[in-house]
Amino acid sequence: MLKIALLVLTTMQDGSVRVTLSATDDMVECEANRDAVTTILTGAGRPPILALCGQSDLRLTPFVHGMPESAETNRYRVDLVGETFTVTPLAQDAPCREVREGARRSYCARSGQSVVQ
């Protein structure tokens, strides 16, 4: 079932990409959360690569603030076409190729969030 979610991509200290995906009740709440997160990250000198509200059928455990990068072990591929995104879980040994072709972009990312079954 599709639900509105906030997708945030940030750069970690080691240069890799972190993905967070947080479900919200509606688009208004999502956009408010996006604005708040973007303001906080930008104010800390670490603006997000992307902060986007959209629909997703993937559910992840809640984001935990202050998690060390070493605990960000879950792998995901994030595909974007225009303003639409798909987040796909990856096995630890699965290949991932980043793409930047016009409106189509793919990121290989890590997260401390895991898939909720």
Side-chain angles (χ1 to χ4, degrees), residues 3-6 21-25 29 33 58-60 113:
K3 186 158 176 93
I4 302 297
L6 172 59
L21 187 68
S22 303
T24 62
D25 289 331
E29 178 185 356
N33 291 347
L58 182 65
R59 299 291 168 263
L60 299 181
Q113 295 177 276

Side-chain angles (χ1 to χ4, degrees), residues 3-92:
K3 186 158 176 93
I4 302 297
L6 172 59
L7 170 74
V8 179
L9 300 179
T10 55
T11 304
M12 291 195 265
Q13 300 259 348
D14 67 3
S16 61
V17 176
R18 170 187 289 133
V19 60
T20 60
L21 187 68
S22 303
T24 62
D25 289 331
D26 55 39
M27 192 61 80
V28 171
E29 178 185 356
C30 187
E31 290 173 357
N33 291 347
R34 180 194 63 212
D35 292 346
V37 167
T38 299
T39 298
I40 291 166
L41 292 172
T42 302
R46 301 195 55 94
I49 298 167
L50 174 80
L52 182 64
C53 292
Q55 294 184 331
S56 178
D57 59 358
L58 182 65
R59 299 291 168 263
L60 299 181
T61 56
F63 173 71
V64 176
H65 293 276
M67 180 176 287
E69 288 186 9
S70 60
E72 308 263 354
T73 59
N74 299 297
R75 298 180 61 234
Y76 298 93
R77 187 182 68 243
V78 179
D79 295 303
L80 298 124
V81 178
E83 296 294 309
T84 304
F85 63 82
T86 304
V87 180
T88 306
L90 297 173
Q92 291 301 323

